[in-house]
Coordinates of all heavy atoms in Angstrom, one line a residue:
M235 N -14.0 -5.5 -5.8 CA -14.5 -4.3 -5.1 C -16.0 -4.2 -5.6 O -16.2 -4.3 -6.8 CB -13.7 -3.2 -5.6 CG -14.1 -1.9 -5.0 SD -12.9 -0.5 -5.0 CE -12.0 -0.6 -6.4
Q236 N -16.8 -3.9 -4.7 CA -18.2 -3.7 -5.1 C -18.8 -2.5 -4.3 O -18.6 -2.3 -3.1 CB -18.9 -4.9 -4.8 CG -20.3 -5.2 -5.4 CD -20.8 -6.6 -5.2 OE1 -20.4 -7.2 -4.2 NE2 -21.8 -6.9 -6.0
N237 N -19.5 -1.6 -5.1 CA -20.1 -0.5 -4.4 C -19.2 0.4 -3.7 O -19.5 1.0 -2.6 CB -21.3 -0.9 -3.5 CG -22.4 -1.5 -4.2 OD1 -22.6 -1.3 -5.4 ND2 -23.1 -2.4 -3.5
G238 N -18.0 0.5 -4.2 CA -17.0 1.4 -3.5 C -16.3 0.8 -2.3 O -15.5 1.5 -1.7
H239 N -16.5 -0.4 -2.0 CA -15.9 -1.0 -0.8 C -15.0 -2.2 -1.3 O -15.4 -3.0 -2.2 CB -17.0 -1.5 0.1 CG -17.7 -0.5 0.8 ND1 -18.8 0.2 0.2 CD2 -17.5 0.1 2.0 CE1 -19.2 1.1 1.0 NE2 -18.5 1.1 2.1
R240 N -14.0 -2.5 -0.6 CA -13.2 -3.6 -0.8 C -13.9 -4.8 -0.1 O -14.5 -4.6 0.9 CB -11.8 -3.5 -0.3 CG -10.9 -2.5 -1.0 CD -9.6 -2.5 -0.5 NE -8.7 -1.6 -1.2 CZ -7.6 -1.1 -0.8 NH1 -7.2 -1.5 0.4 NH2 -7.0 -0.2 -1.5
K241 N -13.7 -5.9 -0.7 CA -14.4 -7.1 -0.2 C -13.8 -7.5 1.2 O -12.6 -7.5 1.4 CB -14.2 -8.3 -1.1 CG -15.1 -9.5 -0.7 CD -15.0 -10.6 -1.9 CE -16.0 -11.7 -1.6 NZ -16.0 -12.6 -2.7
G242 N -14.7 -7.5 2.2 CA -14.3 -7.8 3.6 C -13.7 -6.6 4.3 O -13.1 -6.8 5.4
S243 N -13.9 -5.5 3.8 CA -13.4 -4.3 4.5 C -14.5 -3.3 4.7 O -15.4 -3.1 3.9 CB -12.2 -3.6 3.7 OG -11.9 -2.4 4.2
S244 N -14.4 -2.5 5.8 CA -15.4 -1.5 6.0 C -14.9 -0.1 5.6 O -15.6 0.9 5.8 CB -15.8 -1.5 7.6 OG -14.7 -1.2 8.3
V245 N -13.6 0.0 5.1 CA -13.1 1.3 4.7 C -13.6 1.5 3.3 O -13.4 0.7 2.3 CB -11.5 1.1 4.7 CG1 -11.0 2.5 4.2 CG2 -11.0 0.8 6.2
K246 N -14.1 2.6 3.1 CA -14.6 3.0 1.7 C -13.4 3.5 0.8 O -12.6 4.3 1.2 CB -15.6 4.2 1.8 CG -16.3 4.5 0.5 CD -17.4 5.5 0.6 CE -18.0 5.7 -0.7 NZ -19.1 6.7 -0.6
V247 N -13.4 3.0 -0.4 CA -12.3 3.3 -1.3 C -12.9 4.4 -2.3 O -14.1 4.3 -2.8 CB -11.9 2.1 -2.2 CG1 -10.9 2.5 -3.3 CG2 -11.4 1.0 -1.2
S248 N -12.2 5.4 -2.5 CA -12.6 6.5 -3.3 C -12.7 6.1 -4.8 O -11.7 5.8 -5.4 CB -11.7 7.8 -3.1 OG -12.2 8.8 -4.0
I249 N -13.9 6.1 -5.4 CA -14.0 5.8 -6.8 C -13.7 7.0 -7.6 O -13.2 6.9 -8.8 CB -15.4 5.1 -7.0 CG1 -15.5 3.8 -6.3 CG2 -15.6 5.0 -8.5 CD1 -16.8 3.2 -6.3
M250 N -14.1 8.1 -7.2 CA -14.0 9.4 -7.9 C -12.5 9.9 -8.2 O -12.3 10.8 -8.8 CB -14.7 10.5 -7.4 CG -16.3 10.3 -7.3 SD -17.0 10.2 -9.0 CE -16.7 11.9 -9.5
N251 N -11.6 9.2 -7.5 CA -10.1 9.7 -7.6 C -10.0 11.2 -7.2 O -9.2 11.9 -7.9 CB -9.6 9.4 -9.0 CG -9.4 8.0 -9.3 OD1 -9.2 7.1 -8.3 ND2 -9.6 7.5 -10.5
E252 N -10.8 11.6 -6.3 CA -10.8 12.9 -5.8 C -10.9 14.0 -6.9 O -10.2 15.0 -6.9 CB -9.5 13.1 -5.0 CG -9.4 12.3 -3.8 CD -8.1 12.3 -3.1 OE1 -7.3 13.2 -3.3 OE2 -7.8 11.5 -2.2
H253 N -11.7 13.7 -7.9 CA -12.1 14.6 -9.1 C -10.9 15.0 -9.8 O -10.6 16.1 -10.1 CB -12.8 15.9 -8.5 CG -14.0 15.6 -7.6 ND1 -15.1 15.2 -8.2 CD2 -14.2 15.7 -6.3 CE1 -16.0 15.0 -7.1 NE2 -15.4 15.3 -6.0
L254 N -10.0 14.0 -10.2 CA -9.0 14.2 -11.1 C -9.4 14.4 -12.6 O -10.3 13.7 -13.0 CB -8.0 13.0 -11.0 CG -7.4 12.8 -9.7 CD1 -6.4 11.6 -9.8 CD2 -6.5 14.0 -9.3
R255 N -8.8 15.3 -13.2 CA -9.1 15.5 -14.7 C -7.7 15.6 -15.4 O -6.7 16.0 -14.9 CB -9.9 16.8 -14.9 CG -11.2 16.8 -14.2 CD -12.2 15.8 -14.8 NE -13.5 15.9 -14.3 CZ -13.9 15.1 -13.3 NH1 -13.1 14.2 -12.7 NH2 -15.2 15.2 -12.8
K256 N -7.8 15.2 -16.7 CA -6.6 15.2 -17.5 C -6.5 16.5 -18.3 O -7.4 16.9 -18.9 CB -6.6 14.0 -18.5 CG -5.3 13.8 -19.2 CD -5.4 12.7 -20.3 CE -5.3 11.4 -19.6 NZ -5.2 10.3 -20.7
C257 N -5.3 17.1 -18.2 CA -5.0 18.3 -19.0 C -4.8 17.9 -20.5 O -4.2 17.0 -20.9 CB -3.8 19.0 -18.5 SG -3.1 20.3 -19.5
I258 N -5.5 18.6 -21.4 CA -5.4 18.3 -22.8 C -4.1 18.8 -23.5 O -3.8 18.4 -24.5 CB -6.6 18.8 -23.6 CG1 -6.6 20.3 -23.6 CG2 -7.9 18.2 -23.1 CD1 -7.6 20.9 -24.6
G259 N -3.3 19.6 -22.7 CA -2.0 20.1 -23.2 C -0.9 19.1 -22.9 O -0.1 18.9 -23.7
C260 N -0.8 18.6 -21.6 CA 0.3 17.7 -21.2 C -0.1 16.3 -20.8 O 0.7 15.5 -20.6 CB 1.0 18.4 -20.0 SG 0.0 18.5 -18.5
N261 N -1.4 16.0 -20.9 CA -1.9 14.7 -20.5 C -1.7 14.2 -19.1 O -1.7 13.1 -18.8 CB -1.5 13.6 -21.5 CG -2.1 13.8 -22.9 OD1 -3.3 14.3 -23.0 ND2 -1.4 13.5 -23.9
E262 N -1.4 15.2 -18.2 CA -1.2 14.9 -16.8 C -2.5 15.0 -16.0 O -3.3 15.8 -16.4 CB -0.1 15.9 -16.2 CG 1.2 15.8 -16.8 CD 2.0 14.5 -16.3 OE1 1.9 14.1 -15.1 OE2 2.8 13.9 -17.1
K263 N -2.6 14.3 -15.0 CA -3.9 14.3 -14.2 C -3.7 15.3 -13.0 O -2.6 15.2 -12.3 CB -4.3 13.0 -13.7 CG -4.9 12.2 -14.8 CD -5.4 10.9 -14.4 CE -5.9 10.0 -15.5 NZ -6.5 8.7 -15.1
F264 N -4.7 16.2 -12.8 CA -4.6 17.1 -11.7 C -6.0 17.2 -11.0 O -7.0 16.8 -11.6 CB -4.3 18.5 -12.1 CG -2.9 18.7 -12.8 CD1 -2.8 18.6 -14.1 CD2 -1.7 18.8 -12.0 CE1 -1.5 18.7 -14.8 CE2 -0.5 18.9 -12.6 CZ -0.4 18.9 -14.0
N265 N -6.1 17.6 -9.8 CA -7.4 17.9 -9.2 C -8.0 19.0 -10.0 O -7.5 20.0 -10.4 CB -7.1 18.4 -7.8 CG -8.4 18.5 -7.0 OD1 -9.5 18.8 -7.5 ND2 -8.3 18.3 -5.7
R266 N -9.3 18.8 -10.3 CA -10.1 19.7 -11.2 C -10.2 21.1 -10.6 O -10.4 22.0 -11.4 CB -11.5 19.2 -11.5 CG -12.4 19.3 -10.5 CD -13.8 18.8 -10.9 NE -14.7 18.9 -9.7 CZ -15.8 18.3 -9.7 NH1 -16.3 17.5 -10.7 NH2 -16.6 18.3 -8.7
E267 N -10.0 21.3 -9.3 CA -10.1 22.6 -8.7 C -8.9 23.4 -9.1 O -9.0 24.7 -9.1 CB -10.3 22.5 -7.2 CG -11.4 21.6 -6.7 CD -12.8 22.3 -7.2 OE1 -12.9 23.5 -7.3 OE2 -13.7 21.5 -7.5
E268 N -7.8 22.8 -9.5 CA -6.6 23.5 -9.8 C -6.5 23.8 -11.3 O -5.5 24.4 -11.8 CB -5.4 22.7 -9.4 CG -5.3 22.3 -8.0 CD -4.3 21.3 -7.7 OE1 -3.5 20.8 -8.6 OE2 -4.2 20.8 -6.5
M269 N -7.5 23.4 -12.1 CA -7.4 23.5 -13.5 C -8.4 24.5 -14.0 O -9.3 25.0 -13.4 CB -7.6 22.2 -14.2 CG -6.6 21.1 -13.7 SD -6.9 19.5 -14.5 CE -6.2 19.8 -16.1
L270 N -8.1 24.9 -15.3 CA -9.0 25.8 -16.0 C -10.0 25.0 -16.8 O -9.5 24.1 -17.6 CB -8.2 26.7 -16.9 CG -8.9 27.6 -17.8 CD1 -9.7 28.7 -17.0 CD2 -8.0 28.4 -18.8
R271 N -11.3 25.2 -16.7 CA -12.3 24.4 -17.4 C -12.7 25.3 -18.5 O -13.2 26.4 -18.3 CB -13.4 24.0 -16.5 CG -14.5 23.3 -17.2 CD -15.6 22.9 -16.3 NE -16.7 22.2 -16.9 CZ -18.0 22.2 -16.6 NH1 -18.2 22.9 -15.4 NH2 -18.9 21.6 -17.2
I272 N -12.7 24.8 -19.7 CA -13.3 25.5 -20.9 C -14.5 24.7 -21.4 O -14.4 23.5 -21.7 CB -12.2 25.6 -22.0 CG1 -10.9 26.3 -21.4 CG2 -12.7 26.3 -23.2 CD1 -9.7 26.1 -22.2
L273 N -15.6 25.4 -21.5 CA -16.9 24.7 -21.8 C -17.6 25.3 -23.0 O -17.6 26.5 -23.1 CB -17.8 24.8 -20.5 CG -19.3 24.3 -20.7 CD1 -19.4 23.1 -19.6 CD2 -20.2 25.4 -20.5
K274 N -18.1 24.4 -23.8 CA -19.0 24.8 -24.9 C -20.5 24.6 -24.4 O -20.9 23.5 -24.2 CB -18.7 24.1 -26.2 CG -19.7 24.5 -27.3 CD -19.4 23.6 -28.6 CE -20.4 23.9 -29.6 NZ -20.3 23.0 -30.7
N275 N -21.1 25.7 -24.1 CA -22.4 25.7 -23.5 C -23.4 25.0 -24.4 O -23.5 25.3 -25.6 CB -22.9 27.1 -23.2 CG -24.1 27.1 -22.4 OD1 -25.0 26.2 -22.4 ND2 -24.2 28.1 -21.5
S276 N -24.1 23.9 -23.9 CA -25.0 23.1 -24.8 C -26.2 23.9 -25.2 O -26.8 23.7 -26.2 CB -25.4 21.8 -24.1 OG -26.1 22.2 -22.9
A277 N -26.6 24.9 -24.4 CA -27.8 25.8 -24.8 C -27.6 26.7 -25.9 O -28.5 26.8 -26.8 CB -28.2 26.5 -23.5
N278 N -26.4 27.4 -26.0 CA -26.2 28.4 -27.1 C -25.0 28.2 -27.8 O -24.7 29.0 -28.6 CB -26.3 29.8 -26.4 CG -25.4 30.0 -25.3 OD1 -24.4 29.3 -25.1 ND2 -25.6 31.1 -24.6
G279 N -24.1 27.3 -27.5 CA -22.8 27.0 -28.2 C -21.7 28.0 -27.9 O -20.7 28.0 -28.5
E280 N -21.9 28.9 -26.8 CA -20.9 29.8 -26.4 C -19.8 29.2 -25.6 O -20.1 28.2 -24.8 CB -21.7 30.8 -25.5 CG -20.7 31.9 -25.0 CD -21.5 32.9 -24.0 OE1 -22.6 32.6 -23.7 OE2 -20.9 33.8 -23.5
I281 N -18.6 29.6 -25.9 CA -17.4 29.1 -25.1 C -17.3 29.9 -23.9 O -17.3 31.1 -23.9 CB -16.1 29.3 -25.9 CG1 -16.2 28.5 -27.3 CG2 -15.0 28.8 -25.1 CD1 -16.4 27.0 -27.2
V282 N -17.3 29.3 -22.7 CA -17.2 29.9 -21.4 C -15.9 29.3 -20.6 O -15.6 28.1 -20.7 CB -18.4 29.5 -20.5 CG1 -18.4 30.3 -19.2 CG2 -19.7 29.8 -21.3
L283 N -15.2 30.3 -20.0 CA -14.0 29.9 -19.2 C -14.5 29.7 -17.8 O -15.1 30.7 -17.2 CB -12.9 30.9 -19.3 CG -12.4 31.2 -20.7 CD1 -11.3 32.3 -20.7 CD2 -11.8 29.9 -21.3
N284 N -14.0 28.7 -17.1 CA -14.4 28.4 -15.7 C -15.8 28.7 -15.3 O -16.1 29.5 -14.4 CB -13.4 29.2 -14.7 CG -12.3 28.3 -14.4 OD1 -12.1 27.1 -14.7 ND2 -11.3 28.9 -13.6
P285 N -16.8 27.9 -15.9 CA -18.2 28.2 -15.6 C -18.4 27.5 -14.2 O -17.7 26.8 -13.8 CB -18.9 27.5 -16.7 CG -18.0 26.3 -17.1 CD -16.6 27.0 -17.0
D286 N -19.6 27.8 -13.7 CA -20.0 27.1 -12.5 C -20.2 25.7 -12.8 O -20.3 25.2 -13.9 CB -21.2 27.8 -11.8 CG -22.4 27.7 -12.7 OD1 -22.3 27.2 -13.8 OD2 -23.5 28.2 -12.3
K287 N -20.3 24.8 -11.8 CA -20.4 23.4 -11.9 C -21.7 22.9 -12.4 O -21.9 21.8 -12.8 CB -20.1 22.7 -10.5 CG -18.6 22.9 -10.2 CD -18.3 22.3 -8.8 CE -16.9 22.6 -8.4 NZ -16.6 22.5 -7.1
K288 N -22.7 23.7 -12.4 CA -24.0 23.5 -12.9 C -24.3 23.7 -14.3 O -25.3 23.3 -14.9 CB -25.1 24.3 -12.0 CG -25.1 23.9 -10.6 CD -26.1 24.6 -9.8 CE -26.0 24.2 -8.3 NZ -26.9 24.9 -7.5
T289 N -23.3 24.3 -15.0 CA -23.5 24.6 -16.4 C -23.1 23.4 -17.3 O -22.0 22.8 -17.0 CB -22.5 25.8 -16.9 OG1 -22.8 26.9 -16.0 CG2 -22.8 26.2 -18.3
F290 N -23.9 22.9 -18.2 CA -23.8 21.8 -18.9 C -23.2 22.0 -20.3 O -23.6 23.1 -20.9 CB -25.1 21.0 -19.0 CG -25.5 20.5 -17.7 CD1 -26.6 21.0 -17.0 CD2 -24.9 19.3 -17.1 CE1 -27.0 20.6 -15.8 CE2 -25.4 18.8 -15.9 CZ -26.4 19.5 -15.2
G291 N -22.6 21.1 -20.8 CA -22.0 21.2 -22.2 C -20.7 20.3 -22.3 O -20.2 19.7 -21.4
R292 N -20.1 20.5 -23.5 CA -18.9 19.7 -23.7 C -17.7 20.6 -23.1 O -17.6 21.7 -23.4 CB -18.7 19.6 -25.3 CG -17.4 18.9 -25.6 CD -17.4 18.6 -27.0 NE -18.4 17.6 -27.4 CZ -18.2 16.3 -27.4 NH1 -17.0 15.9 -27.0 NH2 -19.1 15.4 -27.8
S293 N -16.9 20.0 -22.3 CA -15.7 20.7 -21.7 C -14.4 20.0 -21.8 O -14.4 18.8 -21.9 CB -16.1 21.0 -20.2 OG -16.3 19.8 -19.5
V294 N -13.4 20.8 -21.6 CA -12.0 20.3 -21.6 C -11.3 21.0 -20.5 O -11.8 22.1 -20.0 CB -11.2 20.6 -22.9 CG1 -11.9 19.9 -24.0 CG2 -11.2 22.0 -23.3
Y295 N -10.3 20.4 -20.0 CA -9.5 21.0 -18.8 C -8.1 21.3 -19.2 O -7.4 20.4 -20.0 CB -9.5 20.0 -17.6 CG -10.8 19.9 -16.9 CD1 -11.9 19.1 -17.4 CD2 -11.1 20.7 -15.8 CE1 -13.0 19.0 -16.8 CE2 -12.3 20.6 -15.2 CZ -13.2 19.8 -15.7 OH -14.5 19.7 -15.1
L296 N -7.5 22.4 -18.7 CA -6.1 22.7 -19.0 C -5.5 23.2 -17.7 O -6.1 23.9 -16.8 CB -6.1 24.0 -19.9 CG -6.1 23.8 -21.4 CD1 -6.3 25.1 -22.1 CD2 -5.0 23.1 -21.9
C297 N -4.3 22.7 -17.5 CA -3.5 23.3 -16.3 C -3.2 24.6 -16.7 O -3.2 25.0 -17.9 CB -2.4 22.3 -15.9 SG -1.1 22.0 -17.1
K298 N -2.7 25.4 -15.8 CA -2.4 26.9 -16.0 C -1.0 27.1 -16.5 O -0.5 28.3 -16.5 CB -2.7 27.6 -14.8 CG -4.2 27.5 -14.4 CD -4.5 28.2 -13.1 CE -6.0 28.0 -12.8 NZ -6.4 28.5 -11.5
N299 N -0.3 26.1 -17.0 CA 1.0 26.2 -17.6 C 0.9 26.7 -19.0 O 0.2 26.2 -19.8 CB 1.7 24.8 -17.6 CG 3.0 24.9 -18.1 OD1 3.5 25.9 -18.7 ND2 3.8 23.8 -18.0
P300 N 1.5 27.8 -19.3 CA 1.4 28.4 -20.7 C 1.9 27.4 -21.8 O 1.3 27.4 -22.9 CB 2.4 29.6 -20.6 CG 2.5 30.0 -19.2 CD 2.3 28.7 -18.5
A301 N 2.8 26.5 -21.6 CA 3.2 25.5 -22.5 C 2.0 24.6 -22.8 O 1.9 24.1 -24.0 CB 4.4 24.8 -22.0
C302 N 1.3 24.2 -21.8 CA 0.1 23.4 -22.1 C -0.9 24.0 -22.9 O -1.6 23.4 -23.7 CB -0.5 22.9 -20.7 SG 0.6 21.8 -19.8
I303 N -1.1 25.4 -22.6 CA -2.1 26.1 -23.5 C -1.6 26.1 -24.9 O -2.5 25.9 -25.8 CB -2.2 27.5 -22.8 CG1 -2.8 27.4 -21.4 CG2 -3.1 28.4 -23.7 CD1 -2.9 28.7 -20.6
E304 N -0.3 26.3 -25.2 CA 0.2 26.3 -26.5 C 0.0 25.0 -27.1 O -0.5 24.9 -28.3 CB 1.7 26.6 -26.6 CG 2.0 28.0 -26.2 CD 1.6 29.0 -27.3 OE1 1.7 28.6 -28.4 OE2 1.4 30.1 -26.9
N305 N 0.2 23.8 -26.4 CA 0.0 22.5 -27.0 C -1.5 22.2 -27.3 O -1.8 21.6 -28.2 CB 0.5 21.4 -26.0 CG 2.0 21.3 -26.0 OD1 2.6 21.6 -26.9 ND2 2.6 20.8 -24.9
A306 N -2.4 22.7 -26.5 CA -3.8 22.6 -26.7 C -4.2 23.2 -28.0 O -5.2 22.7 -28.7 CB -4.7 23.1 -25.6
F307 N -3.6 24.3 -28.4 CA -4.0 25.0 -29.6 C -3.2 24.5 -30.8 O -3.5 24.8 -32.0 CB -3.8 26.5 -29.5 CG -4.9 27.2 -28.7 CD1 -4.8 27.3 -27.3 CD2 -6.0 27.6 -29.4 CE1 -5.8 27.8 -26.6 CE2 -7.0 28.2 -28.6 CZ -6.9 28.3 -27.3
K308 N -2.2 23.6 -30.7 CA -1.5 23.1 -31.8 C -2.4 22.2 -32.6 O -3.2 21.4 -32.0 CB -0.3 22.2 -31.3 CG 0.9 23.0 -31.1 CD 2.1 22.0 -30.8 CE 3.3 22.7 -30.6 NZ 4.5 21.8 -30.2
K309 N -2.4 22.4 -33.9 CA -3.3 21.6 -34.8 C -4.7 21.7 -34.5 O -5.5 20.8 -34.7 CB -2.8 20.1 -34.8 CG -1.4 19.9 -35.3 CD -1.0 18.5 -35.3 CE 0.4 18.4 -35.8 NZ 0.9 17.0 -35.7
G310 N -5.2 22.7 -33.7 CA -6.5 22.9 -33.3 C -7.1 21.8 -32.4 O -8.4 21.6 -32.4
R311 N -6.4 21.3 -31.6 CA -6.8 20.1 -30.7 C -8.0 20.6 -29.8 O -9.0 19.9 -29.6 CB -5.6 19.6 -29.9 CG -6.1 18.6 -29.0 CD -4.9 17.9 -28.3 NE -5.5 16.8 -27.5 CZ -4.9 16.0 -26.8 NH1 -3.6 16.2 -26.5 NH2 -5.4 15.0 -26.1
I312 N -7.8 21.8 -29.2 CA -8.9 22.3 -28.3 C -10.2 22.4 -29.1 O -11.3 22.1 -28.6 CB -8.4 23.6 -27.7 CG1 -9.4 23.9 -26.5 CG2 -8.4 24.7 -28.6 CD1 -8.9 25.0 -25.6
F313 N -10.2 22.8 -30.3 CA -11.4 23.0 -31.1 C -12.0 21.7 -31.5 O -13.2 21.6 -31.6 CB -11.2 23.9 -32.3 CG -10.6 25.2 -31.9 CD1 -9.3 25.7 -32.3 CD2 -11.4 26.1 -31.2 CE1 -8.9 26.9 -31.8 CE2 -10.9 27.3 -30.8 CZ -9.7 27.7 -31.1
K314 N -11.2 20.7 -31.8 CA -11.7 19.4 -32.1 C -12.4 18.7 -31.0 O -13.4 18.1 -31.1 CB -10.5 18.4 -32.6 CG -9.9 18.8 -33.9 CD -8.7 17.8 -34.2 CE -8.0 18.4 -35.4 NZ -6.7 17.6 -35.6
L315 N -11.8 18.9 -29.8 CA -12.4 18.2 -28.6 C -13.7 19.0 -28.2 O -14.6 18.3 -27.7 CB -11.5 18.3 -27.4 CG -10.2 17.3 -27.6 CD1 -9.2 17.6 -26.5 CD2 -10.6 15.9 -27.6
L316 N -13.7 20.3 -28.4 CA -15.0 21.0 -28.1 C -16.1 21.0 -29.2 O -17.1 21.3 -29.1 CB -14.7 22.5 -27.8 CG -14.0 22.8 -26.5 CD1 -13.6 24.2 -26.4 CD2 -14.8 22.4 -25.3
K317 N -15.6 20.4 -30.4 CA -16.5 20.3 -31.6 C -17.0 21.7 -31.9 O -18.2 21.8 -32.0 CB -17.6 19.3 -31.3 CG -17.0 17.9 -31.2 CD -18.2 16.9 -31.1 CE -17.5 15.5 -31.0 NZ -18.6 14.4 -31.0
T318 N -16.1 22.6 -32.1 CA -16.5 24.0 -32.5 C -15.5 24.5 -33.6 O -14.4 24.0 -33.8 CB -16.5 24.9 -31.3 OG1 -17.0 26.2 -31.6 CG2 -15.1 25.1 -30.6
K319 N -15.8 25.7 -34.1 CA -15.0 26.2 -35.1 C -13.8 27.1 -34.4 O -14.1 27.6 -33.3 CB -15.8 27.3 -35.9 CG -16.8 26.5 -36.8 CD -17.7 27.5 -37.7 CE -18.7 26.7 -38.4 NZ -19.6 27.7 -39.1
P320 N -12.7 27.1 -35.0 CA -11.6 27.8 -34.5 C -11.9 29.3 -34.2 O -12.6 30.0 -34.9 CB -10.5 27.8 -35.5 CG -10.8 26.5 -36.3 CD -12.3 26.5 -36.4
D321 N -11.5 29.8 -33.0 CA -11.7 31.1 -32.6 C -10.4 31.8 -32.2 O -9.7 31.3 -31.3 CB -12.6 31.1 -31.3 CG -12.8 32.5 -30.8 OD1 -12.4 33.5 -31.3 OD2 -13.5 32.6 -29.7
E322 N -10.0 32.7 -33.0 CA -8.6 33.2 -32.8 C -8.4 34.0 -31.6 O -7.3 34.3 -31.1 CB -8.2 34.1 -34.0 CG -9.2 35.2 -34.3 CD -9.0 35.9 -35.6 OE1 -9.1 35.2 -36.6 OE2 -8.8 37.1 -35.7
F323 N -9.5 34.4 -30.9 CA -9.4 35.2 -29.7 C -9.5 34.3 -28.4 O -9.2 34.8 -27.3 CB -10.5 36.2 -29.6 CG -10.5 37.2 -30.8 CD1 -11.5 37.2 -31.7 CD2 -9.5 38.2 -30.9 CE1 -11.4 38.1 -32.8 CE2 -9.4 39.0 -31.9 CZ -10.3 39.0 -33.0
L324 N -9.8 33.1 -28.6 CA -9.9 32.2 -27.4 C -8.6 32.0 -26.7 O -8.5 32.0 -25.4 CB -10.5 30.8 -27.8 CG -10.7 29.8 -26.6 CD1 -11.7 30.3 -25.6 CD2 -11.2 28.5 -27.3
K325 N -7.5 31.9 -27.4 CA -6.2 31.7 -26.8 C -5.8 32.9 -26.0 O -5.3 32.8 -24.8 CB -5.1 31.4 -27.9 CG -3.8 31.1 -27.4 CD -2.9 30.8 -28.5 CE -1.5 30.5 -28.1 NZ -0.6 30.2 -29.3
E326 N -6.0 34.1 -26.5 CA -5.8 35.4 -25.7 C -6.6 35.4 -24.5 O -6.2 35.9 -23.5 CB -6.0 36.6 -26.6 CG -5.1 36.6 -27.8 CD -5.5 37.7 -28.9 OE1 -6.4 38.5 -28.4 OE2 -5.0 37.7 -30.0
K327 N -7.8 35.0 -24.5 CA -8.7 35.0 -23.3 C -8.2 34.1 -22.3 O -8.2 34.4 -21.1 CB -10.2 34.6 -23.7 CG -10.9 35.6 -24.5 CD -12.3 35.0 -24.8 CE -13.0 35.7 -25.8 NZ -14.3 35.1 -26.2
I328 N -7.7 32.9 -22.7 CA -7.2 31.9 -21.8 C -5.9 32.3 -21.1 O -5.8 32.3 -19.9 CB -7.0 30.6 -22.5 CG1 -8.4 30.0 -22.8 CG2 -6.3 29.6 -21.5 CD1 -8.3 28.7 -23.7
L329 N -5.0 32.9 -21.9 CA -3.8 33.4 -21.4 C -4.0 34.6 -20.4 O -3.2 34.8 -19.5 CB -2.8 33.8 -22.5 CG -2.3 32.6 -23.3 CD1 -1.5 33.1 -24.6 CD2 -1.3 31.8 -22.4
S330 N -4.9 35.4 -20.6 CA -5.2 36.5 -19.7 C -6.1 36.2 -18.5 O -6.2 37.0 -17.6 CB -5.9 37.7 -20.5 OG -7.2 37.3 -20.9
F331 N -6.6 35.0 -18.5 CA -7.6 34.5 -17.4 C -6.8 34.3 -16.1 O -5.9 33.9 -15.7 CB -8.3 33.3 -17.8 CG -9.5 33.0 -16.9 CD1 -10.6 33.8 -16.9 CD2 -9.3 32.0 -15.9 CE1 -11.6 33.5 -16.1 CE2 -10.4 31.7 -15.1 CZ -11.5 32.5 -15.2

């Protein structure tokens, strides 16, 4: 496969996998539009829930299952991936979102 095309075929193969992202709680892949994006803004270090697509920074994705949200907070996994200090109010913000 080269440049998104199969050899000898004129049908384009999707390389982006239709924007699939992995949930950090359950490790399942979902379409990113169905997930909650949590971003650490690179400009000011602020944690933002579901920012617009133009905001840059370190981000993680969670499906909206409460069990996945619990798993993401176990052992501080979400804070390790975002490379930030633990915030006791972040979990409440996510659950109420």
Side-chain angles (χ1 to χ4, degrees):
M235 184 166 30
Q236 200 172 18
N237 296 332
H239 291 85
R240 290 185 180 163
K241 193 171 186 175
S243 174
S244 63
V245 178
K246 187 173 181 179
V247 177
S248 175
I249 296 175
M250 292 295 291
N251 290 330
E252 299 172 12
H253 305 288
L254 294 178
R255 298 294 183 263
K256 187 186 283 190
C257 172
I258 64 167
C260 64
N261 290 323
E262 296 287 326
K263 289 185 179 182
F264 299 97
N265 189 326
R266 75 174 175 197
E267 304 299 325
E268 301 169 1
M269 300 181 79
L270 176 65
R271 180 178 177 210
I272 304 162
L273 175 118
K274 179 183 175 186
N275 193 326
S276 61
N278 57 14
E280 178 185 2
I281 302 293
V282 184
L283 300 179
N284 265 356
D286 60 0
K287 293 176 183 163
K288 296 180 182 180
T289 307
F290 293 105
R292 180 172 290 275
S293 62
V294 296
Y295 287 84
L296 278 169
C297 58
K298 296 175 182 178
N299 183 350
C302 289
I303 296 169
E304 290 291 330
N305 283 339
F307 281 90
K308 273 187 181 176
K309 298 181 183 176
R311 181 169 185 189
I312 192 167
F313 302 114
K314 289 177 190 173
L315 292 171
L316 289 173
K317 294 187 178 179
T318 188
K319 295 179 182 176
D321 178 4
E322 56 192 58
F323 301 110
L324 181 59
K325 185 176 179 182
E326 294 170 15
K327 289 180 195 175
I328 293 171
L329 288 171
S330 67
F331 192 77

